[in-house]
Amino acid sequence: DTAVSQTPKYLVTQMGNDKSIKCEQNLGHDTMYWYKQDSKKFLKIMFSYNNKELIINETVPNRFSPKSPDKAHLNLHINSLELGDSAVYFCASSYRGETEAFFGQGTRLTVV
Amino acid sequence: QKEVEQDPGPLSVPEGAIVSLNCTYSNSAFQYFMWYRQYSRKGPELLMYTYSSGNKEDGRFTAQVDKSSKYISLFIRDSQPSDSATYLCAMGNSGYSTLTFGKGTMLLVSP
């Protein structure tokens, strides 16, 4: 059973388009995250949600909007995609109060 | 100065070698220290987790934390080709903080 799953795994799209990435976890965790890994492999937090509530919002353009319909799901919607948005986006989850995070397999976004 | 520094490598070793991977950090508030392993085109997977200073051993892997020097290490004994991956250190300053990652060190173990 996949603990943290993301869809799609690969996403190629044109500049200016709007796209969404979905994430689901079956670990019973109450906190979910979105991380961005750039071409230099640097992994950086974007958002964190606890029980559907936004608790961390790093300096991310407003074009990125996370949505958590329930504590097992955290989706990422990106408007007006730019070339610089090309990266691998990772979803992760944990229990609040525990720093061990479990990651999904990543979504490789390429904006052309 | 970046919060977490990690040599990107690549680090190439022959099978059976002892590998030492390291990170330095500047934030003295960090108390939780983790090592993640990331295979190519996969998500990071948690390998080792330590709290505060000291050593922790799990099979061929040993994690060391020296808070006085702000330095953490991961040792891999009897390295195997299957250990070839990127190793990321990660740190947090409380159970309610998010993780700050190093850039990762690519390890290549040749048969």
Side-chain angles (χ1 to χ4, degrees), chain A residues 9-10 33 35 37 40-45 47-48 55-56 58 90 95-106 108, chain B residues 2 4 32-34 36 38 41-46 49 86 88 92-104 106:
Chain A
K9 195 171 180 182
Y10 299 97
Y33 312 85
Y35 282 84
Q37 189 171 46
K40 295 183 179 178
K41 303 295 186 186
F42 189 47
L43 199 60
K44 193 166 182 186
I45 185 73
F47 300 103
S48 174
I55 54 173
I56 289 176
E58 292 295 319
F90 286 100
Y95 289 112
R96 184 114 195 254
E98 292 186 9
T99 48
E100 303 157 82
F102 293 82
F103 285 78
Q105 81 278 18
R108 186 172 294 271
Chain B
K2 289 190 174 60
V4 180
Y32 298 84
F33 304 92
M34 275 142 278
Y36 282 82
Q38 186 175 20
R41 296 187 175 259
K42 298 286 186 185
E45 55 176 326
L46 184 64
Y49 170 76
T86 295
L88 301 126
N93 59 1
S94 78
Y96 296 92
S97 69
T98 56
L99 299 175
T100 300
F101 282 83
K103 285 194 173 185
M106 181 183 289

Side-chain angles (χ1 to χ4, degrees), chain A residues 56-107:
Chain A
I56 289 176
N57 182 353
E58 292 295 319
T59 308
V60 177
N62 290 339
R63 299 181 293 104
F64 290 78
S65 54
K67 282 196 171 43
S68 181
D70 56 61
K71 72 175 189 178
H73 296 83
L74 180 62
N75 304 324
L76 183 65
H77 189 74
I78 316 170
N79 289 330
S80 304
L81 278 154
E82 299 177 358
L83 292 177
D85 297 331
S86 296
V88 183
Y89 292 84
F90 286 100
C91 177
S93 71
S94 72
Y95 289 112
R96 184 114 195 254
E98 292 186 9
T99 48
E100 303 157 82
F102 293 82
F103 285 78
Q105 81 278 18
T107 295

Side-chain angles (χ1 to χ4, degrees), chain B residues 34-53:
Chain B
M34 275 142 278
W35 286 95
Y36 282 82
R37 177 175 61 196
Q38 186 175 20
Y39 290 111
S40 180
R41 296 187 175 259
K42 298 286 186 185
E45 55 176 326
L46 184 64
L47 200 58
M48 297 286 283
Y49 170 76
T50 52
Y51 171 71
S52 196
S53 284

Side-chain angles (χ1 to χ4, degrees), chain B:
Chain B
Q1 181 186 11
K2 289 190 174 60
E3 269 200 302
V4 180
E5 300 270 9
Q6 187 176 8
D7 186 333
L11 176 62
S12 295
V13 301
E15 185 175 355
I18 296 174
V19 174
S20 172
L21 303 165
N22 312 294
C23 286
T24 58
Y25 61 95
S26 58
N27 187 346
S28 56
F30 286 143
Q31 295 191 69
Y32 298 84
F33 304 92
M34 275 142 278
W35 286 95
Y36 282 82
R37 177 175 61 196
Q38 186 175 20
Y39 290 111
S40 180
R41 296 187 175 259
K42 298 286 186 185
E45 55 176 326
L46 184 64
L47 200 58
M48 297 286 283
Y49 170 76
T50 52
Y51 171 71
S52 196
S53 284
N55 290 4
K56 184 173 183 178
E57 190 173 317
D58 184 2
R60 297 184 295 113
F61 299 89
T62 300
Q64 270 187 2
V65 175
D66 182 349
K67 290 187 70 180
S68 61
S69 302
K70 298 192 182 69
Y71 188 87
I72 70 169
S73 301
L74 177 70
F75 297 97
I76 308 174
R77 290 183 297 282
D78 187 24
S79 55
Q80 303 293 310
S82 58
D83 295 328
S84 297
T86 295
Y87 290 79
L88 301 126
C89 62
M91 308 173 188
N93 59 1
S94 78
Y96 296 92
S97 69
T98 56
L99 299 175
T100 300
F101 282 83
K103 285 194 173 185
T105 299
M106 181 183 289
L107 172 66
L108 301 169
V109 182
S110 54

